[in-house]
Amino acid sequence: MKILFYDTKPYDKETFEYLLPDFPGISIDFLKTDVSPKTATLARGYDAICAFVSSNLGKDTLDVLHECNIKLLLMRCAGFNNIDLETAKKYGITILRVPGYSPEAVAEHAIAMALAVNRHLHKSYIKVRENNFSLVGLMGFNFFKKTAGIIGTGKIGAAMAKLCHGFGMKVLAYDVYKNPDLDFVTYVELDELLASSDLISLHCPLMDSTYHLINKDTIEKMKDGVILINTSRGGLIKTEDLILGIRARKFFGVGLDVYEEETPNVFEDRSDEILEHSVTARLLSFPNVIITSHQGFFTLEALEAIADTTLSNAKSYETGSLISGNIVNP
């Protein structure tokens, strides 16, 4: 099987090439450019393409991939909301993803962001580098004996709940399905979680029912001085309403590894650009907001798991024995 790998970063190439000898018969050509209607033509002559959560896999791109006889789309990520599933189904394109690679990686990043905004680590780092050792403006609060609200208790949410429990926090959770492994968690309705939590962390998928779950109305129901963390999907939060909440001093701090406007920014160096009329720039202007570049997954263990699962998906397609849990469009 010949795979064309789009939007290659050095760490992608290194990890996949390291594991490739374990999958004889599979070859990969790596491209730095991402897939789009224009670059999809490069897939002609390949059996599959490999793309990421930020790739453009809308109808126009899939039209071209179909013309190039691509029948397999390998997603090296869990998310697939960037794919036009109806068009893929129409063309008989099989989509395989990596549903879980390292839940602990994302959960640990979420708790790191919560700690950073709570203890103002981003501000204190800069102050000390400028020989300013004053503690003014750096006061945080103990997580011990506070309440954490976890929205979504799948693998990542469960890992986050365990970390919060380890800090001595009371853990509330909201999910359609209760996780039987979390016997220390109290499941409540969303309104109660919002009103009771000192720390709220989002770990649910982006669907019609969760789109803009955090909005003006739900923000008003939160405690004053709450910390909000999102390492899941940007569309869970209505950014304009979040900005209004920050300006109204509703939040002690906000940590975002994902956000609605992230697509042109994720994994790219835009340091020489001026982000005019940018929601990102507005968020970055607030002293109690930390934004990271979709790096929650970015650990050695997670990258190796992503590469191994992606290559296993390719092998399973080739042998006609698809891994059922990895299929996006059965």
Side-chain angles (χ1 to χ4, degrees), residues 141 145-149 169-170 172 190-200 217-228 245 248-253:
F141 61 88
K145 291 191 175 181
K146 296 300 191 301
T147 299
M169 304 184 80
K170 177 183 178 181
L172 304 180
L190 180 60
D191 284 357
E192 183 177 345
L193 183 148
L194 295 172
S196 304
S197 300
D198 303 288
L199 164 65
I200 296 174
D217 293 335
T218 50
I219 289 172
E220 286 179 354
K221 294 174 182 177
M222 295 178 187
K223 269 187 176 183
D224 291 340
V226 66
I227 290 176
L228 177 66
R249 292 169 173 76
K250 184 71 173 180
F251 300 98
F252 187 90

Side-chain angles (χ1 to χ4, degrees), residues 25 40 65 72 109 147-148 162 202-203 231 251 282 303 311 315:
L65 291 174
L72 175 61
H109 189 72
T147 299
K162 291 173 184 176
L202 306 181
H203 300 285
T231 55
F251 300 98
R282 290 166 67 191
L303 286 177
L311 292 169
K315 182 179 178 181

Side-chain angles (χ1 to χ4, degrees), residues 89 95 324 327-330:
K89 183 177 181 180
I95 305 170
S324 59
I327 303 171
V328 171
N329 54 344

Side-chain angles (χ1 to χ4, degrees), residues 150-154 156-158 173-175 201-205:
I150 311 300
I151 300 179
T153 53
I156 298 173
Y174 171 75
D175 201 320
S201 192
L202 306 181
H203 300 285
C204 53

Side-chain angles (χ1 to χ4, degrees), residues 20-143:
L20 202 54
D22 295 335
F23 295 87
I26 296 178
S27 64
I28 301 178
D29 287 331
F30 295 93
L31 289 179
K32 288 185 178 181
T33 187
D34 204 351
V35 65
S36 68
K38 290 183 178 180
T39 62
T41 57
L42 299 172
R44 193 176 304 278
Y46 289 87
D47 302 299
I49 72 160
C50 184
F52 199 55
V53 69
S54 53
S55 301
N56 174 0
L57 292 165
K59 181 182 182 302
D60 292 344
T61 301
L62 294 178
D63 286 343
V64 179
L65 291 174
H66 172 65
E67 292 172 6
C68 295
N69 202 34
I70 293 296
K71 293 296 182 184
L72 175 61
L73 176 53
L74 296 166
M75 299 299 294
R76 55 185 189 274
C77 55
F80 51 89
N81 52 289
N82 56 323
I83 307 172
D84 187 325
L85 297 179
E86 288 188 10
T87 301
K89 183 177 181 180
K90 181 178 74 172
Y91 290 142
I93 298 175
T94 298
I95 305 170
L96 299 175
R97 66 180 182 128
V98 185
Y101 30 92
S102 178
E104 293 76 18
V106 182
E108 288 173 12
H109 189 72
I111 202 71
M113 295 193 80
L115 288 167
V117 295
N118 179 14
R119 303 306 295 268
H120 308 286
L121 298 186
H122 56 307
K123 295 166 69 175
S124 58
Y125 172 76
I126 298 299
K127 287 179 69 169
V128 170
R129 285 179 62 86
E130 296 176 349
N131 296 329
N132 181 353
F133 301 97
S134 167
L135 298 182
V136 174
L138 301 181
M139 185 178 292
F141 61 88
N142 288 3
F143 280 164

Side-chain angles (χ1 to χ4, degrees), residues 90-303:
K90 181 178 74 172
Y91 290 142
I93 298 175
T94 298
I95 305 170
L96 299 175
R97 66 180 182 128
V98 185
Y101 30 92
S102 178
E104 293 76 18
V106 182
E108 288 173 12
H109 189 72
I111 202 71
M113 295 193 80
L115 288 167
V117 295
N118 179 14
R119 303 306 295 268
H120 308 286
L121 298 186
H122 56 307
K123 295 166 69 175
S124 58
Y125 172 76
I126 298 299
K127 287 179 69 169
V128 170
R129 285 179 62 86
E130 296 176 349
N131 296 329
N132 181 353
F133 301 97
S134 167
L135 298 182
V136 174
L138 301 181
M139 185 178 292
F141 61 88
N142 288 3
F143 280 164
F144 180 62
K145 291 191 175 181
K146 296 300 191 301
T147 299
I150 311 300
I151 300 179
T153 53
K155 292 181 178 179
I156 298 173
M160 181 63 173
K162 291 173 184 176
L163 290 174
C164 291
H165 183 61
F167 275 93
M169 304 184 80
K170 177 183 178 181
V171 183
L172 304 180
Y174 171 75
D175 201 320
V176 176
Y177 304 101
K178 296 181 180 179
N179 190 327
D181 296 329
L182 301 178
D183 56 359
F184 58 88
V185 166
T186 302
Y187 280 89
V188 296
E189 293 301 315
L190 180 60
D191 284 357
E192 183 177 345
L193 183 148
L194 295 172
S196 304
S197 300
D198 303 288
L199 164 65
I200 296 174
S201 192
L202 306 181
H203 300 285
C204 53
L206 180 61
M207 304 180 292
D208 290 343
S209 59
T210 59
Y211 179 69
H212 285 175
L213 178 69
I214 303 302
N215 54 54
K216 182 177 181 292
D217 293 335
T218 50
I219 289 172
E220 286 179 354
K221 294 174 182 177
M222 295 178 187
K223 269 187 176 183
D224 291 340
V226 66
I227 290 176
L228 177 66
I229 303 296
N230 188 11
T231 55
S232 187
R233 292 287 179 268
L236 296 175
I237 298 177
K238 187 174 181 180
T239 310
E240 293 293 335
D241 290 358
L242 175 65
I243 289 172
L244 290 175
I246 295 169
R247 285 178 171 162
R249 292 169 173 76
K250 184 71 173 180
F251 300 98
F252 187 90
V254 176
L256 304 174
D257 190 45
V258 292
Y259 48 97
E260 288 188 292
E261 199 188 53
E262 72 175 31
T263 301
N265 301 334
V266 172
F267 315 132
E268 302 301 330
D269 181 358
R270 302 186 66 191
S271 56
D272 291 332
E273 300 179 36
I274 297 174
L275 303 181
E276 295 184 27
H277 311 298
S278 167
V279 173
T280 308
R282 290 166 67 191
L283 286 170
L284 287 170
S285 71
F286 297 111
N288 60 338
V289 175
I290 293 180
I291 295 179
T292 53
S293 187
H294 207 126
Q295 71 182 74
F297 77 101
F298 198 55
T299 66
L300 176 63
E301 294 82 357
L303 286 177

